[in-house]
Amino acid sequence: MLDKNGIARRIAQELQDKWYVNLGIGIPTLIANHVPDDIEVTFQSENGILGMGPFPFEGEEDADLINAGKQTITALPGAAIFDSATSFAMIRGQHIQLTVLGAMEVADNGNIANWKIPGRMVKGMGGAMDLVASADNIIVAMMHTNKRGKSKLLRQCSLPLTGVGCVKRVVTNLAVLDVTPNGFKLIERAPGVTVEQIQEATEGRLVVEGDIPEMNL
Amino acid sequence: MDKRVNSVKDAISGIENNMTLMLGGFGLCGIPENCISALVEANINGLTCISNNAGVDDFGLGLLLQKKQIRKMISSYVGENDEFERQMLSGELEVDLIPQGSLAARCYAGGAGIPAFFTPAGYGTEVAEGKEIRYFNGKPHLLEHALEADYAIVKAWKGDWDGNLIYKGTARNFNPAMAMAGKITIAEVEILVAPGELDPNAIHTPGIFVQRIFQGVNYEKRIEQRTVQAKLS
């Protein structure tokens, strides 16, 4: 089973040279720490920066330089800064090659819910709806089950949707799964996790074909 | 064209109860701190505020929320503010949540003379309810309308008397699009200079969009999430 950093490390293997990538808040943010040395990717944050760098050294924080999670960041050499309308032109216009975001629920038809629990948590969708509606390549990074042990990979989302039919791949602490017309297709198992364990933790349709390899981390 | 006003009080003169305001900023980054304080002091109520976020409990738009001066918020993300959540869940505050890219585009459209446009964001979700759907290139899109405001209030780093503005870092965010969409746009800046001192090539918001400008004071520039790494010795 993987921890959050393990999920980030596995998703980092999906990155390709010269890609522009938008990382959501939470587990996706950790992916920046695991970019393979032999490729160059540029991270976009939707509040208006391309070429986002690591957190600043203590004492060098700049209130005028944050990411979409409102965390202080740095700008790498070659970075560009722009306004929100331009930022979402990049996203809506499909100039970003990969979007990674977290989710509360993913359905086996690619629907995603991650912005609202009616009556309890209403924080808003931020940029998530624009991102999932426009990106061709969307990976969800999340734990396979919620805090109460219930599956987050469902036949149907129960929470208000963020987008429909948009998720391509899900990477969890247990597995890598692709969204196909027949449901979640199991691609890889996390180290030490069995197909049966994944089956048990997946409420949505699960397609298992042949031997399922273990992740190579 | 000299657009300087003498004080923040003069800058916000004309803003009345029940008006619609746009306020620039992302989180607490690039917010018009001086004008927000002046609105609190002037006790203007029933406001509709269009702003990406709603501040935190004791800073930014949170200051107006504390005094219940806001009737309706139009935002994309409103976490980080307990008083906001309380007012919303109790029904005291009307809230319209909009996808962030649609919010930016609707402000830009409002300033650019584009009454409405189609976007894929929100299709199949609550956001699409009651909106016209059309297919372009085989993909469904929603009709979204432009937003306009009685007053847009923006914060820039440098400005000149003519209202030309330059922003710093990611404090730019929603400010340029909102500056375009105000019937009257108020700009507060950290540094105000005479015309000719700013490089015309470097202007982010041309002065034509700005009606009033002043140099603000005592910027707190609060950091919401201070994230750092240890220096290797």
Side-chain angles (χ1 to χ4, degrees), chain A residues 14 19 96-100 135-139 166 168-169:
Chain A
E14 306 279 320
W19 270 8
I96 306 267
Q97 278 77 35
L98 174 66
T99 290
V100 186
D136 265 337
N137 193 7
I138 298 170
I139 298 178
C166 51
K168 297 290 184 293
R169 177 163 270 205

Side-chain angles (χ1 to χ4, degrees), chain B residues 67-85:
Chain B
K67 289 185 65 192
K68 301 195 168 64
Q69 292 172 258
I70 302 177
R71 182 181 63 79
K72 181 178 181 181
M73 274 302 306
I74 300 175
S75 303
S76 87
Y77 188 84
V78 293
E80 276 83 66
N81 190 324
D82 293 338
E83 175 61 14
F84 181 97
E85 202 152 2

Side-chain angles (χ1 to χ4, degrees), chain A residues 66-84:
Chain A
I66 63 168
N67 63 18
K70 289 126 187 168
Q71 297 171 313
T72 45
I73 53 158
T74 53
L76 294 173
I81 285 176
F82 36 85
D83 73 286
S84 299

